[in-house]
Amino acid sequence: MGAKKAERDAEFNAFVTGAWPRLIRTAFLLTGDRYLAEDVVQTALERTYAAWGRVVRADEPYAYVRRIVVNEHARRFRRRVPEQLVTAVPERSGPDGFERLDDRAALLEALGTLPSGQRQAVVLRYWEDLSESQAAAAMGCSVGTVKSQASKGIARLRELSSLTTRTSIGGAA
């Protein structure tokens, strides 16, 4: 039994090492907060480890875990007290890997204005580049819901002057 557990743990560790950056990026875009994103991903990986035997047999383990991340975010979003948005971002104590993106603050602020379903659909469709059916599977809804939520989210983002003057959203300037 010890050798099997060691092999399972090694396989899980290899998966986490490879998937961590993408999972964090997705969770960050969903939450808008680096630390909350890490919490969401860690919770998702805890659940994944508990079910690793089933996960590894799935066609695409990353998609399975991404679905857990989306669900965990939705669960936290329902319980969350609304945020107080501020005009100035507090200084960071160290370098942030996301700082390389010039439009990060504007994008995060804009994503923060979207309702949870629209935000999930936009992030999964346009950032993760998932198909409508893959996004529907990750969100646990129909393809039509993904189409509707993504369309409404993109339309809402296009209305924001802070983004339309800085970047192209969903293929339109």
Side-chain angles (χ1 to χ4, degrees):
M1 235 359 159
K4 273 189 169 183
K5 183 178 180 337
E7 183 180 323
R8 177 186 145 174
D9 287 352
E11 187 176 39
F12 180 75
N13 287 338
F15 171 79
V16 170
T17 300
W20 181 263
R22 285 179 66 196
L23 292 169
I24 286 292
R25 182 182 64 222
T26 299
F28 178 76
L29 290 168
L30 291 172
T31 64
D33 180 270
R34 177 174 71 181
Y35 303 108
L36 183 55
E38 288 177 359
D39 287 346
V40 167
V41 171
Q42 287 175 2
T43 300
L45 290 173
E46 287 173 18
R47 292 181 180 171
T48 300
Y49 181 76
W52 186 243
R54 278 183 288 141
V55 174
V56 79
R57 288 190 305 266
D59 286 342
E60 193 172 332
Y62 177 78
Y64 185 98
V65 178
R66 182 181 52 230
R67 169 86 187 260
I68 296 172
V69 167
V70 171
N71 289 343
E72 180 61 24
H73 165 68
R75 197 174 293 114
R76 287 175 182 248
F77 186 82
R78 282 191 286 269
R79 285 185 254 139
R80 184 177 71 166
V81 176
E83 295 177 359
Q84 293 290 334
L85 296 180
V86 295
T87 57
V89 177
E91 288 189 36
R92 302 244 183 233
S93 60
D96 181 356
F98 295 107
E99 298 281 6
R100 293 173 292 189
L101 303 174
D102 293 337
D103 297 328
R104 174 182 174 240
L107 178 60
L108 289 177
E109 184 177 333
L111 284 172
T113 67
L114 297 179
S116 181
Q118 290 177 14
R119 186 175 186 162
Q120 289 175 13
V122 168
V123 167
L124 293 174
R125 285 284 292 130
Y126 299 104
W127 187 268
E128 284 290 314
D129 199 27
L130 298 182
S131 69
E132 290 163 344
S133 59
Q134 291 170 323
M139 292 173 63
C141 64
S142 70
V143 171
T145 300
V146 170
K147 288 180 182 181
S148 171
Q149 293 294 306
S151 175
K152 289 176 185 176
I154 291 296
R156 193 163 175 184
L157 291 174
R158 284 183 179 146
E159 293 171 358
L160 299 174
S161 62
S162 63
L163 286 181
T164 56
T165 58
R166 302 180 79 165
T167 187
S168 173
I169 301 171

